[in-house]
Amino acid sequence: METGTEELVSHLKNVFIELNANPYPEVACPPSVPRRASVALILRIQPNYAHWPAVQTNPLHSRSPQQRRRSSVASSSGQKLCFKDIIDAFFEQDWVKHGDPELLFIKRSTRKGDKWNGHVALPGGKRDPEDDDDQVTAVREAMEEVGIDLSFSHAIAVGNLPQRVVTTSWGKVPLMVLCPYVYLLTSSDYPAQRLQPTEVASTHWVSLRALLSPALRTYEYADVSNRLAKSELGIKRWFLQAMLSQMMFAAIRLLPSESTYCSSIEGFVPEGPAPDASFYGKVREVIAGPESSYPTRQQPLLLWGLTLGVISDLLEHIPPHNALELWTYPTFTNWDVRFTMWAMSYRFRNQKAIEMSSTHSLASTGLVEDGVDPAEMPKQDLPEEPGEVGIAGLGVGRNWGKTGRAKLAARGAAVNSMLEGYYPIVRKAVATALVGRITVVALLVAYFWRKYRSRSA
């Protein structure tokens, strides 16, 4: 009995082999910004009812500790072969072939002064001086925040995704380097999670099919005017706060298959008044329904911003390789600012589309198959510096719809972040819209002043 996920599982296996065989390079910290952070993309295969595993097995247990340890660091051909053997053994299991790949997300706890309160994120955190490398940070943070052991006895260390420089103030100020690592849990029997109350309010397993579905694409509206205005001074800061409303960001509405909640945190049990028993309350209940008397429903889980950028890097590896095409550039809700940004970024967005299409068509050019060195390709197609991300965090686009050497060449000529160069246009568009508003107001004042003067004369 086919479950409809077999093709996705097969693609995921190939993606894991590619990621392990061709790791992304390390991005150095910007000058005067030594901070680094790591996140863990933890995947599992959820068994299907018709293909439930009769015996819990772990392909890693059949190998020696030395072999298992080597599988997590692929730095030579022998080690890569060992990783492929382990991946082959895992994906040969019947419950894996017919299972549903899922990814773990966390919802952050509410903390005073934390601007990421309640956001959907990935397990992770800042690198400690005691950590040997960025990957150690990802493993440590996963254990501390959600209680998941990512050691070689419980998970396969697949590889990394593109590292990026996280910035603020519309890309002006670098904050840190973010380093994502991919892990695959190897057992169908998952232990209970242990959530850190100060960091994690809940965890949610979400199917990759849901993340890839265009039907779940939506928008998140965030009030960023105060944050953006902080980077300016004087009257310009006041005008920014006055004219900028909410910003629209591409988002995915998450549909968890399984959730774990930290019941000890404040706010887990909603606090509020009892249902309104007055005459007005009864009338409202009759008109709007019984649920109108109860506390507001919990807001849907939305994946957006920096975490969406990281996830897009993973989804772009999976056919049909169009994850980035389903995203939209962030904009403001005010119609005049939005129109100005659309007009001023028109050429930029078209150029980005051309760059993406040129990367996708690399395999059809014959350059790689004819033995042309990727270093001899046009210089403008090569990323000159690591992709930087700002508020929306959209990631680096990589095309994996190729095979053999063409795919490897595409990695070297991959498109930089779709947002790289976008925020300078945003700043200019906001300033232009501001001038436009002032001009309109001045013209209206002049018009009514002349009309008043003509009447008084």
Side-chain angles (χ1 to χ4, degrees):
M1 176 181 176
E2 294 296 314
T3 61
T5 60
E6 292 81 6
E7 185 176 7
L8 177 59
V9 171
S10 177
H11 287 317
L12 194 62
K13 173 186 174 182
N14 295 331
V15 169
F16 288 166
I17 293 175
E18 291 286 354
L19 285 177
N20 186 267
N22 302 283
Y24 284 89
E26 179 176 318
V27 173
C29 291
S32 72
V33 183
R35 291 188 295 272
R36 303 181 71 86
S38 299
V39 293
L41 286 82
I42 305 175
L43 292 106
R44 74 176 186 183
I45 306 296
Q46 179 67 15
N48 181 272
Y49 175 82
H51 297 272
W52 203 262
V55 179
Q56 305 296 339
T57 58
N58 188 329
L60 297 182
H61 293 166
S62 63
R63 298 184 171 273
S64 67
Q66 292 79 9
Q67 288 176 313
R68 297 197 297 264
R69 189 174 297 108
R70 286 199 303 268
S71 70
S72 64
V73 182
S75 59
S76 69
S77 59
Q79 292 168 349
K80 291 178 183 178
L81 178 62
C82 181
F83 174 86
K84 188 176 184 305
D85 289 344
I86 293 177
I87 285 291
D88 287 339
F90 176 79
F91 280 93
E92 276 300 313
Q93 300 175 98
D94 183 72
W95 68 271
V96 175
K97 288 181 179 179
H98 303 279
D100 194 13
E102 296 180 342
L103 186 62
L104 182 68
F105 294 94
I106 67 172
K107 184 177 182 181
R108 295 188 179 277
S109 296
T110 300
R111 295 188 300 175
K112 187 176 181 179
D114 186 0
K115 62 182 179 180
W116 308 113
N117 281 338
H119 284 206
V120 172
L122 297 166
K126 295 180 180 179
R127 176 173 172 175
D128 288 344
E130 297 79 14
D131 295 337
D132 293 334
D133 53 37
D134 296 317
Q135 189 168 4
V136 170
T137 302
V139 174
R140 174 182 56 77
E141 287 286 343
M143 174 60 73
E144 292 177 358
E145 290 190 343
V146 296
I148 293 183
D149 187 356
L150 296 180
S151 65
F152 52 79
S153 297
H154 303 276
I156 299 175
V158 173
N160 68 335
L161 292 174
Q163 299 180 1
R164 64 194 70 202
V165 179
V166 181
T167 62
T168 187
S169 299
W170 284 352
K172 291 181 179 179
V173 181
L175 294 178
M176 63 182 177
V177 176
L178 183 65
C179 311
Y181 292 90
V182 181
Y183 287 87
L184 174 64
L185 299 183
T186 53
S187 174
S188 60
D189 185 18
Y190 307 104
Q193 296 178 27
R194 186 178 70 255
L195 308 187
Q196 187 179 30
T198 58
E199 300 287 344
V200 181
S202 57
T203 60
H204 308 273
W205 289 101
V206 179
S207 170
L208 289 187
R209 293 183 295 112
L211 295 175
L212 288 166
S213 172
L216 294 176
R217 306 290 161 153
T218 183
Y219 295 94
E220 170 68 337
Y221 298 87
D223 185 3
V224 297
S225 57
N226 289 333
R227 187 176 1 155
L228 298 180
K230 288 180 181 179
S231 62
E232 308 296 345
L233 298 174
I235 191 171
K236 187 175 181 181
R237 176 176 179 176
W238 182 86
F239 272 118
L240 282 176
Q241 290 176 322
M243 72 176 297
L244 298 181
S245 56
Q246 289 186 317
M247 211 170 180
M248 297 171 53
F249 297 100
I252 298 177
R253 183 164 58 91
L254 300 183
L255 294 180
S257 65
E258 182 181 349
S259 300
T260 302
Y261 296 89
C262 187
S263 59
S264 61
I265 65 173
E266 182 180 356
F268 175 75
V269 178
E271 296 181 2
D276 190 355
S278 65
F279 175 77
Y280 172 75
K282 294 296 183 181
V283 173
R284 184 177 60 181
E285 182 175 331
V286 170
I287 297 176
E291 294 185 355
S292 63
S293 299
Y294 292 89
T296 305
R297 289 183 178 181
Q298 186 178 7
Q299 295 298 317
L301 293 169
L302 293 182
L303 172 64
W304 67 287
L306 182 58
T307 305
L308 176 59
V310 175
I311 299 303
S312 71
D313 288 337
L314 175 64
L315 299 182
E316 182 67 9
H317 291 69
I318 303 173
H321 311 286
N322 64 349
L324 293 181
E325 296 175 6
L326 299 176
W327 268 252
T328 58
Y329 286 91
T331 186
F332 288 94
T333 52
N334 286 345
W335 70 269
D336 57 336
V337 182
R338 186 193 306 183
F339 176 78
T340 305
M341 288 178 57
W342 174 85
M344 296 185 66
S345 65
Y346 182 81
R347 182 177 178 182
F348 170 86
R349 290 181 282 109
N350 283 348
Q351 182 61 37
K352 287 294 184 180
I354 294 174
E355 291 177 3
M356 289 188 65
S357 62
S358 64
T359 302
H360 280 257
S361 62
L362 178 61
S364 62
T365 61
L367 292 177
V368 179
E369 298 301 327
D370 291 339
V372 176
D373 190 342
E376 298 178 2
M377 295 181 184
K379 187 175 182 180
Q380 60 268 25
D381 290 338
L382 298 175
E384 297 179 355
E385 54 186 38
E388 297 185 359
V389 295
I391 301 170
L394 192 61
V396 178
R398 304 276 179 172
N399 175 36
W400 287 82
K402 308 177 180 67
T403 56
R405 288 180 293 168
K407 183 180 294 184
L408 298 178
R411 292 174 64 89
V415 182
N416 277 347
S417 168
M418 290 177 65
L419 282 180
E420 186 176 357
Y422 181 69
Y423 282 110
I425 299 177
V426 172
R427 291 195 295 269
K428 294 178 181 178
V430 169
T432 302
L434 174 60
V435 172
R437 287 189 182 185
I438 295 175
T439 303
V440 171
V441 171
L443 291 175
L444 289 175
V445 169
Y447 171 78
F448 285 109
W449 174 252
R450 287 184 179 180
K451 195 170 184 181
Y452 171 78
R453 290 286 301 271
S454 62
R455 285 184 178 181
S456 61

